[in-house]
Amino acid sequence: MSLNNRTRRQLLGVQMTTAASTSQHASSTMMASSSSSGSTTTTTTSAPSSSAVRALAMEYKSLQEEPVEGFRVKLINDDNLFEWEVAIFGPPDTLYQGGYFKAHMKFPHDYPYSPPSIRFLTKVWHPNVYENGDLCISILHPPVDDPQSGELPCERWNPTQNVRTILLSVISLLNEPNTYSPANVDASVMYRRWRDSQGIDNEYPNIIRKQALAANAEAKREGIVVPMTLEDYCLKPARKPTTESGLDANFYDDDFDLETEDDLPTDDDDFDEDDDEEEDEDEEDSTSLNKNNGSATTAAAASSNSKCRNNNGSVGGVAAAGDASAESADDSGKGETT
Amino acid sequence: MEPKDEEIMKQQREIEKEVCDSTPLVSEKISLSCLRTEYMGDDVFSAKIQDLLKKYKFIRRTRPDGNCFFRAFAYSYLEYLITNYTAYQEFRKLAESSKDKLVELGFPRFTLEDFHETFMEVIKRVDPDCTGAEGSEKLQNELHQIFNEQGYSDYVVVYLRLITSGKLQEEAEFYQNFIEGSFTIEEFRHQEVEPMYKESDHIHIIALCTAIGAGVRVEYLDRGEGSTVKAHDFPEGSEPKVYLIYRPGHYDILYPN
């Protein structure tokens, strides 16, 4: 570990000195410094935002090497570590299956002391997403004394939170909205109606599925393969980003095995017809894959697994999913969500 | 629409920026008598400053950014450790092993490691054993420089906040007694201890001092009764290694005669 850290530090040392004004690609800067690791540049911090640049470079690199399942991140502009584009694949066996949601993530200059913000570019009907796409999730809120917010203070931002923990919170929020402080009241009311009717009132899931479908169509137009099974969803890119691939490569196009094409719905397909046969295998695979990823990921994946288990095998997948997330939403109301 | 925390924060940031441009993170040592001019015409404070001057000669100001206690504590304690090799070594061991404890408490390893690593780097850079005869003055300069580099200085603050939070968690039952209102320890840690810029109260001081095993004496320069400054030792009965002056809302470092 210490060797890793030292190398990482060296990368960042060089990165920091150049990031502010360089026209070079951030990736090549990082990579170049790694190959010349014999140099004695270690830590030279002084600029006010040096912590931010350092933390972001470190996180970005780590997410390229070991992505969070279901997410892809890239810099909007290679020269600017403070604005990221995030692509979220809807988790299989949820309402969001097949969906491909794009968002922008903006980091403040005093990151990691203050949280980033996230805005969806794809339309998302969700109790915690504002009309303009701004995501409202407590982990992204600075701790201000605000008893009115209805949020659990324990979920707030602190400097040890990072993009990885945020993304995991986002994926869990998708299926377990927080209805205590809705950003979209209509969506919240609709969601609760669906939940409280045990899935009989299905206006909410219908809208979500429609949006996921539309997003899937959009993804296709862009040539992006959206993972449709848990196995593919949890699959890590086999190749490690090497010298040139880091930031420049179009990371959307080849991370997933082409076999998944078979599972893709066409625009008028029903989502719920496949993956029943292989459910056990899927679960096993995803669990073992997740182990590499630290406990938080495992926990998140485990919870999504358990939901999948509830859904698998049921023809009316939507109603079952409704029960599952209704249950967990109730749980989350009582205490901590994670 | 809920009230926008971000807007409040933005305004706060602007004020902080002003403070930031006008005050260094940690100042040079200044004669304590400078407080006399600051409170000229204020009888209560003037009498108390007179009292304080009997015991202390210098003050070192810290930037009032909500992190002042942690920054002042770290600076002052390391200043002491530079001159006491045995204590330095003990502290270094404690600091080294603190990381695993915090990981166990559930902090994300990836980021925690980074904070810890920087914290250790700072400690190593003021190792009293590594300097020759001219030793302590050189280390003193090094320390001062490190603490005025935002990157290092703030990472030290973050790490001390995490140690404090960890201690609160470890002895939650005990510390729960100190918490006002309906906060649970868990909420208090996440809301009042771990985030940057959050001001420190007695509970922070007690938890940190206990966790690190360092005695702190705080002199309270306030509008309380009498013409003497009241002092308080944390943890109670300990021998102070760090001396701080508290004026409502702010901590600076003191140097006894």
Side-chain angles (χ1 to χ4, degrees):
Chain A
M1 196 65 229
S2 69
L3 182 75
N4 272 344
N5 281 340
R6 206 171 306 129
T7 325
R8 196 172 70 198
R9 185 60 59 92
Q10 264 163 358
L11 305 187
L12 300 170
V14 177
Q15 171 70 9
M16 264 182 290
T17 59
T18 52
S21 60
T22 181
S23 60
Q24 268 181 290
H25 284 189
S27 68
S28 48
T29 313
M30 282 191 264
M31 295 314 165
S33 63
S34 109
S35 58
S36 66
S37 61
S39 88
T40 50
T41 349
T42 45
T43 39
T44 41
T45 35
S46 59
S49 64
S50 63
S51 297
V53 172
R54 196 178 98 153
L56 288 170
M58 187 175 90
E59 289 193 42
Y60 188 75
K61 191 160 179 296
S62 150
L63 285 165
Q64 295 302 315
E65 287 172 359
E66 204 186 319
V68 179
E69 54 238 37
F71 288 92
R72 292 294 172 270
V73 296
K74 69 172 183 182
L75 302 181
I76 294 173
N77 175 340
D78 283 348
D79 296 336
N80 183 3
L81 273 166
F82 288 84
E83 291 185 20
W84 296 18
E85 184 174 298
V86 182
I88 306 171
F89 297 119
D93 302 327
T94 72
L95 298 175
Y96 294 90
Q97 167 165 304
Y100 166 76
F101 305 94
K102 279 200 272 191
H104 277 179
M105 209 166 177
K106 248 177 119 169
F107 297 86
H109 281 272
D110 65 343
Y111 184 82
Y113 311 122
S114 298
S117 60
I118 295 181
R119 172 177 286 187
F120 280 101
L121 306 175
T122 313
K123 259 211 155 344
V124 178
W125 180 255
H126 189 281
N128 306 111
V129 177
Y130 284 102
E131 185 76 32
N132 65 2
D134 280 347
L135 173 67
C136 176
I137 181 171
S138 57
I139 195 178
L140 294 184
H141 286 196
V144 169
D145 299 312
D146 179 14
Q148 253 69 57
S149 79
E151 283 167 1
L152 304 169
C154 23
E155 299 165 325
R156 296 241 166 172
W157 180 256
N158 78 54
T160 67
Q161 303 287 8
N162 53 67
V163 177
R164 204 174 282 275
T165 61
I166 294 168
L167 296 184
L168 290 168
S169 295
V170 170
I171 209 78
S172 103
L173 187 78
L174 278 184
N175 290 304
E176 295 166 16
N178 170 6
T179 52
Y180 286 82
S181 58
N184 179 341
V185 177
D186 293 341
S188 182
V189 168
M190 202 185 279
Y191 167 76
R192 290 169 83 143
R193 231 171 31 222
W194 173 55
R195 189 185 67 188
D196 297 343
S197 70
Q198 311 289 316
I200 291 167
D201 182 334
N202 59 3
E203 198 179 358
Y204 181 80
N206 283 344
I207 290 182
I208 307 280
R209 283 199 303 163
K210 218 176 272 172
Q211 285 186 339
L213 260 180
N216 187 276
E218 178 62 31
K220 263 189 204 151
R221 271 194 291 279
E222 291 181 30
I224 291 150
V225 177
V226 180
M228 297 301 289
T229 65
L230 257 190
E231 190 182 16
D232 295 327
Y233 187 80
C234 298
L235 195 65
K236 298 281 182 303
R239 65 180 170 82
K240 279 213 155 177
T242 44
T243 328
E244 292 307 322
S245 65
L247 302 173
D248 303 328
N250 183 357
F251 54 73
Y252 294 120
D253 55 15
D254 55 0
D255 285 337
F256 292 95
D257 203 271
L258 283 176
E259 282 169 42
T260 58
E261 294 269 32
D262 295 342
D263 299 359
L264 273 177
T266 55
D267 286 1
D268 43 18
D269 254 350
D270 188 349
F271 276 173
D272 306 315
E273 52 187 41
D274 45 22
D275 24 284
D276 279 353
E277 312 97 75
E278 289 191 352
E279 59 169 304
D280 288 339
E281 223 175 292
D282 284 356
E283 280 161 18
E284 249 173 62
D285 282 349
S286 64
T287 317
S288 65
L289 278 163
N290 287 327
K291 278 192 183 122
N292 308 326
N293 226 4
S295 55
T297 319
T298 314
S303 84
S304 85
N305 268 354
S306 71
K307 246 169 268 148
C308 297
R309 232 170 258 131
N310 287 339
N311 297 345
N312 271 341
S314 75
V315 188
V318 177
D323 289 341
S325 24
E327 273 164 32
S328 33
D330 281 342
D331 288 347
S332 72
K334 280 174 207 143
E336 291 171 64
T337 46
T338 48
Chain B
M1 291 293 135
E2 70 180 55
K4 279 274 187 181
D5 291 350
E6 286 71 15
E7 281 162 28
I8 304 169
M9 292 304 276
K10 191 171 163 248
Q11 199 177 5
Q12 249 177 40
R13 284 297 105 78
E14 277 160 14
I15 298 169
E16 277 154 16
K17 196 177 171 299
E18 266 180 53
V19 171
C20 182
D21 294 340
S22 61
T23 345
L25 287 166
V26 184
S27 81
E28 300 289 341
K29 253 186 191 176
I30 311 163
S31 166
L32 185 60
S33 57
C34 72
L35 289 184
R36 275 203 296 229
T37 25
E38 202 171 312
Y39 292 101
M40 196 117 58
D42 185 321
D43 292 343
V44 180
F45 272 57
S46 293
K48 289 191 176 186
I49 290 164
Q50 211 49 45
D51 176 52
L52 206 59
L53 277 165
K54 290 179 202 152
K55 292 177 276 182
Y56 301 92
K57 212 172 185 167
F58 295 103
I59 184 173
R60 195 188 288 278
R61 293 174 191 272
T62 60
R63 182 181 293 172
D65 60 359
N67 296 318
C68 56
F69 164 70
F70 289 102
R71 210 181 309 271
F73 172 87
Y75 190 103
S76 182
Y77 192 51
L78 282 170
E79 221 174 5
Y80 158 74
L81 293 177
I82 286 174
T83 63
N84 188 324
Y85 189 49
T86 321
Y88 169 87
Q89 278 176 310
E90 254 171 58
F91 174 68
R92 185 160 157 175
K93 235 182 275 164
L94 183 144
E96 196 71 69
S97 65
S98 61
K99 185 188 78 187
D100 292 339
K101 221 191 229 174
L102 293 174
V103 171
E104 260 171 53
L105 284 171
F107 289 104
R109 180 185 282 277
F110 179 70
T111 33
L112 184 74
E113 257 168 15
D114 191 43
F115 289 116
H116 179 252
E117 209 187 310
T118 304
F119 188 66
M120 291 313 297
E121 191 188 328
V122 169
I123 294 173
K124 285 170 195 165
R125 273 173 63 179
V126 295
D127 185 342
D129 205 28
C130 288
T131 47
E134 81 278 33
S136 87
E137 198 185 326
K138 204 170 146 196
L139 285 178
Q140 181 69 60
N141 291 339
E142 177 83 349
L143 181 68
H144 192 72
Q145 197 191 328
I146 294 171
F147 269 76
N148 277 300
E149 274 180 44
Q150 190 103 41
Y152 283 107
S153 208
D154 284 351
Y155 264 41
V156 168
V157 169
V158 169
Y159 198 72
L160 289 185
R161 285 181 178 278
L162 298 178
I163 289 182
T164 307
S165 173
K167 189 70 190 171
L168 291 177
Q169 173 72 1
E170 224 173 34
E171 286 167 39
E173 214 172 298
F174 172 71
Y175 286 105
Q176 184 70 61
N177 303 317
F178 294 82
I179 291 177
E180 294 161 25
S182 58
F183 269 154
T184 65
I185 274 283
E186 189 76 359
E187 288 165 344
F188 184 81
R189 291 168 58 213
H190 297 319
Q191 181 86 1
E192 299 292 332
V193 183
E194 290 158 12
M196 280 300 257
Y197 319 118
K198 279 286 185 175
E199 287 177 17
S200 299
D201 223 325
H202 281 187
I203 182 171
H204 300 74
I205 306 180
I206 297 168
L208 180 62
C209 296
T210 313
I212 286 183
V216 175
R217 174 168 295 170
V218 182
E219 302 277 356
Y220 290 90
L221 180 57
D222 56 23
R223 304 224 162 260
E225 254 173 60
S227 58
T228 55
V229 173
K230 290 200 172 54
H232 204 304
D233 290 346
F234 303 93
E236 224 162 308
S238 64
E239 191 198 332
K241 304 290 185 227
V242 168
Y243 296 85
L244 303 177
I245 177 175
Y246 176 81
R247 286 174 283 165
H250 186 64
Y251 292 89
D252 290 307
I253 303 168
L254 280 177
Y255 292 87
N257 288 330

